Amino acid sequence: DPYTVFMTPDETKTFDESLNGVLEGIGAELTVKEQVLVVISPLKNSPAEKAGLMPGDVVYKIDGNVTSDMTLFDALSKIRGAKGTKVTLTILRKSVKEHLDIVITRDAVNIESVSMEDKGRGIFYIAINEFSDDTKTEFESAVQKILLKEPKGIVLDLRYNGGGYLDGAVDILSEFLKGHQVAVTIKRRDAAKNETLYVSGKANLADLPLVVLVNKGSASASEIVAGAIQDLKRGIIMGEQTFGKGSVQEVDKLTDGSSIRITIAKWYTPNDRNISDVGITPDIVVVPGEKDAAAGKDTQLDAAVKYLIKN
C-alpha cells in the first residue's frame, strides 16, 4: 500500500508541521505510485508551482540521485531544505518526450488554508488549498463575509489541493448541503466498523448556485467534497479528472516520537463510488491551454464564473 509508511521522529515532526501550515522547502505534495515518486500537486503560490512543477510529474532524480532506490521520506528529506537553497528535480512528463531538469529555490511555505475573492456580479470565489487544522475556522469566516454581500453564486476551487483531514471535507460539505445528507462512507476491513458521516445541516450556502473546480492535483479530501457535490447534484464539477485517492490513513504515534501512517479504510461517495486510481470525471471538462497558463490566464476559473453568470 503506497500510503502506509513509517516515519522517524524527525519525519513525524515535519509531517505535523505541514498539516499546521508551516514548512520550508519547495511546497509540493508527493506520493509513491506504482513504485515511482509522483507529484500529487504543487501548493498554490509555492516555489514548486512557480518553477513549473505539475500534477502527475514523475520525479526521476533529485540532485542527480535516482529516486527509485529511495523511500518516500528519503526523497522528501532530500527535497526539503533551508530557505534560499536550490534543488534540481529531473522530471518525466507524459506530454514531453525528453526529461526536464527543474531547478527550484526553496523558501518558507506558509500555507493559507482558505482564500476568498469577490469576482463581481455577485459571484464569489473561495479556494481551499489544503484541509488542515485551520480550514473549518477560515472557511466559516469567509462564508460570513460573503453572506453580508448578497451573493448570487460560488466558485469553490479545489485544484492542486492534495487533501488533509477527512473531517475538514465534511465541514465544508455541511455549508452546502441541507438536512441529514450523507457526506461520505468509510468502509473498513471489518464491515461491522463501517461508518457513514453526515453533514451537520447548517448549510449557510445551500441555496446558492455552485461550481467546484478540480484538476489532477485534487486528491483525497478534495475528492470527497467533489464526489458528494456531484452525486447529490448540488452543483457542477468543472475542470479535469482528479487524482484518484480513495483511501483513509490514520497516524499512530509511537513512544520514541516516531509514527506509522497506515491505511485503515476506503471511502465511498454518497452513491457508493470508490474513486481509487480512477478519480472523478468533471461534469464539464475544461482543459487550460499552455499558452493561457503562460500568459497568466485562468481558463477554468473564467469558465466557472461565466457559467454562474449565465445560469
Side-chain angles (χ1 to χ4, degrees):
D1 176 73
Y3 303 110
T4 294
V5 293
F6 170 79
M7 296 183 284
T8 67
D10 286 343
E11 291 166 349
T12 299
K13 181 181 177 183
T14 301
F15 178 75
D16 290 342
E17 286 175 348
S18 70
L19 282 175
N20 291 329
V22 180
L23 55 89
E24 282 191 355
I26 67 169
E29 184 166 354
L30 299 100
T31 190
V32 173
K33 190 174 184 180
E34 297 176 357
Q35 298 184 315
V36 295
L37 186 63
V38 180
V39 178
I40 296 178
S41 63
L43 302 177
K44 290 180 182 177
N45 301 315
S46 67
E49 185 187 49
K50 293 172 184 176
L53 205 64
M54 298 178 65
D57 282 347
V58 172
V59 182
Y60 174 53
K61 293 181 181 179
I62 303 169
D63 285 333
N65 299 303
V66 177
T67 60
S68 58
D69 298 328
M70 302 178 193
T71 67
L72 174 61
F73 280 98
D74 285 341
L76 293 179
S77 66
K78 292 182 182 298
I79 291 173
R80 291 190 177 117
K83 176 180 178 180
T85 60
K86 297 180 185 294
V87 61
T88 300
L89 303 185
T90 302
I91 298 299
L92 305 179
R93 185 176 292 167
K94 287 184 179 179
S95 61
V96 180
K97 290 184 179 180
E98 298 182 357
H99 69 260
L100 302 170
D101 284 331
I102 298 179
V103 180
I104 307 174
T105 301
R106 301 178 179 100
D107 203 347
V109 182
N110 296 313
I111 305 166
E112 185 181 30
S113 180
V114 178
S115 56
M116 185 265 287
E117 185 180 344
D118 186 344
K119 304 302 291 185
R121 300 180 67 173
I123 308 301
F124 287 86
Y125 167 83
I126 309 176
I128 303 178
N129 302 313
E130 68 166 2
F131 290 88
S132 67
D133 287 328
D134 300 325
T135 302
K136 180 180 180 180
T137 301
E138 292 182 17
F139 192 80
E140 288 177 348
S141 176
V143 168
Q144 292 308 311
K145 291 175 183 177
I146 288 171
L147 292 175
L148 295 174
K149 299 182 179 182
E150 299 183 3
K152 293 182 173 60
I154 300 290
V155 178
L156 180 64
D157 190 354
L158 300 177
R159 295 173 297 175
Y160 300 112
N161 182 330
Y165 292 124
L166 183 149
D167 289 346
V170 179
D171 290 334
I172 299 309
L173 286 168
S174 294
E175 293 286 0
F176 291 101
L177 298 170
K178 288 181 178 178
H180 192 61
Q181 299 193 73
V182 173
V184 62
T185 297
I186 311 301
K187 296 186 181 182
R188 301 173 186 263
R189 180 175 297 178
D190 181 354
K193 295 181 180 179
N194 289 353
E195 184 180 10
T196 298
L197 303 181
Y198 297 87
V199 297
S200 69
K202 60 181 180 181
N204 289 304
L205 303 176
D207 298 320
L208 290 173
L210 172 66
V211 173
V212 180
L213 290 177
V214 296
N215 63 8
K216 54 189 175 182
S218 306
S220 191
S222 294
E223 293 172 299
I224 289 176
V225 173
I229 294 295
Q230 188 175 62
D231 280 6
L232 299 172
K233 302 187 185 304
R234 170 59 188 86
I236 295 295
I237 309 302
M238 183 181 291
E240 302 163 87
Q241 193 83 6
T242 62
F243 182 82
K245 182 178 180 292
S247 58
V248 181
Q249 285 71 45
E250 179 179 84
V251 178
D252 292 329
K253 298 288 179 70
L254 305 179
T255 55
D256 66 346
S258 62
S259 62
I260 296 176
R261 185 174 66 175
I262 185 168
T263 297
I264 58 167
K266 292 184 177 181
W267 62 262
Y268 289 73
T269 69
N271 285 353
D272 205 36
R273 291 188 291 159
N274 180 261
I275 53 80
S276 290
D277 301 320
V278 177
I280 291 171
T281 302
D283 302 308
I284 300 175
V285 175
V286 179
V287 179
E290 290 186 11
K291 291 182 179 179
D292 289 339
K297 184 178 180 181
D298 192 336
T299 311
Q300 293 168 328
L301 176 56
D302 291 344
V305 172
K306 287 179 182 177
Y307 177 89
L308 289 170
I309 291 173
K310 288 181 179 180
N311 293 278

